[in-house]
């Protein structure tokens, strides 16, 4: 049975700069694995690659969870995808559709972004002191005026009335299950589910990582959380980080 107590204590704030910052400070002070920070609004919410993340007060689930997984942080690579999977499963309990996971850690519903995941990891000096903070932002009741273009919310997509609080419980349950599997070293089934849910699978994409630009057909994800691309020359390339966009299909010459 899932250990629901994993995500405790849940510390709820009215307003914070970013739940990531609040939880990072608690982690430095020795907070235990499972400590969760939730806020109604963020004044300096962050997304990946230095982007900001904003949501009107009370319309989104804004949370960060502290985990202290076993092993060195170099082995925590799959965590972004596993957190995305937890979010996808949680949202799916409220809708008829099936959420997709856009590598490395966006969750799409009906092809539009409904949630994002931000992972921060810090190696500690003493055993058990390393920390992983999984930040999750889910547009829950946000209407079109509060959403960036190409984004949606759970309510907009499903038409159902769901609260950020409902989703907090569902994400907690899903993440606890996946975290237990990760700690036991048994994430084969979750990786297969991520493969099935992978956005752009079989399509030609471009991944940009700083000055690096990789292109190929999306074939799946690796055990370390990398994206597996089949390049034009037929070789498989494992991409560890970057921003993915759908690319133009190459024309044979
Ligand atoms: C992304 O899509 O780029 C990731 C977005 C992550 C947003 C969440 S909201 C809760 C937590 N606090 C933050 O400042 N960011 C994450």
């Amino acid at each position: 049975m899932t250990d629901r107590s994993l995500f405790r204590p849940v510390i709820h704030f009215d307003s914070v700069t970013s739940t990531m910052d609040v939880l990072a400070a608690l982690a430095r002070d020795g907070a235990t694995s499972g400590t969760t920070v939730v806020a109604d609004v963020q004044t300096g919410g962050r997304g990946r690659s230095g982007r900001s993340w904003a949501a009107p007060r009370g319309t989104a689930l804004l949370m960060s969870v502290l985990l202290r997984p076993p092993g060195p942080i170099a082995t925590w690579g799959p965590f972004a995808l596993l957190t995305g999977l937890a979010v996808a499963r949680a949202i799916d309990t409220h809708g008829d559709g099936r959420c997709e996971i856009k590598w490395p850690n966006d969750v799409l519903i009906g092809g539009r972004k409904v949630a994002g995941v931000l992972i921060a990891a810090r190696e500690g000096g003493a055993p058990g002191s390393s920390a992983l903070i999984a930040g999750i932002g889910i547009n829950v009741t946000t209407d079109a005026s509060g959403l960036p273009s190409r984004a949606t919310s759970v309510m907009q997509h499903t038409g159902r009335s769901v609260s950020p609080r409902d989703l907090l419980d569902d994400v907690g349950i899903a993440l606890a299950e996946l975290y237990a599997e990760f700690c036991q070293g048994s994430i084969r089934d979750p990786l297969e589910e991520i493969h099935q849910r992978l956005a752009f699978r079989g399509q030609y994409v471009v991944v940009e990582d700083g000055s690096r630009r990789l292109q190929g057909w999306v074939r799946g994800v690796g055990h370390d959380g990398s994206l597996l691309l089949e390049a034009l020359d037929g070789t498989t390339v494992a991409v560890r980080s970057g921003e993915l966009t759908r690319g133009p299909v190459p024309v044979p010459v």
Side-chain angles (χ1 to χ4, degrees):
M1 203 179 116
T2 301
D3 179 7
R4 297 181 73 150
S5 67
L6 176 68
F7 297 102
R8 280 198 200 138
V10 177
I11 308 169
H12 193 216
F13 290 85
D14 175 59
S15 172
V16 294
T17 48
S18 161
T19 55
M20 301 301 281
D21 298 339
V22 175
L23 194 51
L26 293 171
R28 280 194 296 274
D29 289 346
T32 50
S33 190
T35 303
T36 301
V37 167
V38 181
D40 287 344
V41 73
Q42 299 182 121
T43 53
R46 295 198 301 277
R48 293 179 59 244
S49 308
R51 289 187 293 263
S52 61
W53 174 279
R57 172 185 286 275
T59 70
L61 174 59
L62 308 168
M63 64 185 285
S64 294
V65 182
L66 170 66
L67 297 169
R68 297 195 188 273
I73 68 170
T75 63
W76 297 353
F79 241 91
L81 287 169
L82 292 176
T83 307
L85 177 58
V87 171
R89 285 181 179 176
I91 295 174
D92 279 357
T93 60
H94 296 278
D96 310 318
R98 189 166 159 84
C99 285
E100 289 185 312
I101 296 172
K102 181 185 167 200
W103 182 91
N105 44 13
D106 284 349
V107 179
L108 311 183
I109 188 165
R112 288 171 172 263
K113 179 165 172 169
V114 67
V117 170
L118 181 66
I119 300 288
R122 198 175 62 93
E123 195 102 64
S129 65
S130 295
L132 181 148
I133 296 179
I136 298 169
I138 306 178
N139 301 319
V140 185
T141 60
T142 331
D143 63 22
S145 65
L147 290 167
S149 62
R150 298 206 305 275
T152 191
S153 68
V154 177
M155 203 154 91
Q156 248 208 341
H157 187 81
T158 65
R160 297 197 188 154
S161 159
V162 184
S163 72
R165 171 75 229 193
D166 295 333
L167 273 164
L168 172 64
D169 291 342
D170 297 331
V171 170
I173 292 167
L175 193 55
E177 189 175 319
L178 291 165
Y179 184 64
E181 287 172 308
F182 178 83
C183 292
Q184 288 154 15
S186 56
I187 56 166
R188 217 180 56 176
D189 290 350
L191 285 176
E192 175 55 28
E193 186 178 339
I194 290 163
H195 179 82
Q196 296 303 332
R197 290 176 179 268
L198 198 59
F200 307 123
R201 190 156 44 96
Q203 296 184 31
Y204 198 80
V205 299
V206 177
V207 180
E208 289 184 87
D209 186 15
S211 57
R212 232 162 62 111
R213 196 165 193 270
L214 295 157
Q215 308 185 34
W217 285 272
V218 174
R219 294 301 181 217
V221 291
H223 288 164
D224 58 356
S226 56
L227 179 73
L228 303 179
L229 288 185
E230 183 186 333
L232 268 179
D233 63 5
T235 57
T236 300
V237 182
V239 189
R240 296 297 301 270
S241 59
E243 292 295 319
L244 181 155
T245 48
R246 198 187 310 198
V249 179
V251 182
V253 282

